[in-house]
Structure formats: structure tokens, C-alpha cells
Amino acid sequence: MQPRLNLILLGVDDIARSAAFYAALGWRAAPSSHAGFIKIDLGGVVLGLISRRDLAADAGEVASLPSQAAHSALVYLARRPEEVAEALALVVKHGGTLVKPATQTAWGVAGYFRDLDGHLFEVCYEDGWVFDEAGRLLV
């Protein structure tokens, strides 16, 4: 396997509601999306919104709520320290839940939120991250 991810699937309770939430944050659905599957281009990786029930059935697992644990998080890296608080405020304005406000850390500034379906996200700023002109992270 090549070291890459192409698609991140989030199981959601209401696809239209979740698509509207992400659109309000500036993350628009791709034209190839449809009512049962929303695709959001994250610059070479796609965030896919699918019914939680359909995702669980496809995986042969029991559906669960992501808000029941903090076993993983998606991370948005901010370009400026003050962008962390700005992004968290935008999320709350559109119905997301603030988990941890923008806080000074040993490495920068970070905060957490949960989307409408309980998925955990971190918004983080650190001096060490480098991006190319297209906004892709260079490692």
C-alpha cells in the first residue's frame, strides 16, 4: 500500500443537515455528491458524509456514536494563532459544540469541537507546520 489516504468517511445522522453545517464553514459539497453521499474536497483528500447506519452496515459493525469516546480526531491546521479562536467561533455559530476553547499550549494554540454528529475535531496552530502554495501540508 502507498502511504496515503484518499477518503475520510464520517457516519452522520442527517446527511443534508451535516452538509449544510460544513457548507456554512466554507466546505462545499462537490458537484458529484448526491443525497446519499456528500463529497467535500479537502485539497486532494475527500471528506465523505454518509448515513451512520449505512456506514455501519457496510462495515459489518454496530452503529455507535463518536461522542461516546475520544479515540480519534480530525485536525484543521490554522495559518495564524488567532485563526484557532475564529474557526471555533464559526463552528459554534453554526451549531457545533465547543469542547475546548482556543488554549495556549507548549507547541502553539489549540482547541476542540464536535460537529453536529459528535465527530471530534481539533483546530491547531503550530509554527512548525509548512504548507505549499495550494495549502497542502508538507511533511
Side-chain angles (χ1 to χ4, degrees):
M1 288 178 64
Q2 293 178 340
R4 62 182 164 81
L5 289 176
N6 305 98
L7 179 62
I8 299 166
L9 287 177
L10 295 183
V12 301
D13 292 322
D14 183 324
I15 294 172
R17 177 185 74 141
S18 293
F21 171 76
Y22 286 105
L25 302 181
W27 297 17
R28 307 271 184 237
S32 59
S33 299
H34 55 79
F37 187 57
I38 300 297
K39 296 178 251 179
I40 300 168
D41 183 359
L42 300 179
V45 175
V46 170
L47 179 64
L49 305 177
I50 186 171
S51 158
R52 184 186 320 276
R53 183 176 45 241
D54 290 349
L55 178 58
D58 190 47
E61 294 284 324
V62 175
S64 63
L65 298 175
S67 58
Q68 295 170 333
H71 55 80
S72 62
L74 300 173
V75 181
Y76 175 84
L77 293 174
R79 302 293 182 97
R80 315 173 271 103
E82 53 278 351
E83 186 184 355
V84 175
E86 293 166 3
L88 292 170
L90 182 63
V91 164
V92 169
K93 175 182 175 183
H94 293 288
T97 302
L98 183 65
V99 172
K100 179 182 175 185
T103 304
Q104 190 69 41
T105 67
W107 56 88
V109 178
Y112 285 85
F113 72 89
R114 288 194 184 274
D115 71 1
L116 302 179
D117 294 282
H119 299 102
L120 186 63
F121 283 76
E122 179 184 21
V123 180
C124 178
Y125 170 81
E126 295 179 30
D127 284 330
W129 294 113
V130 178
F131 299 88
D132 69 11
E133 313 77 46
R136 291 182 299 256
L137 184 61
L138 302 175
V139 182

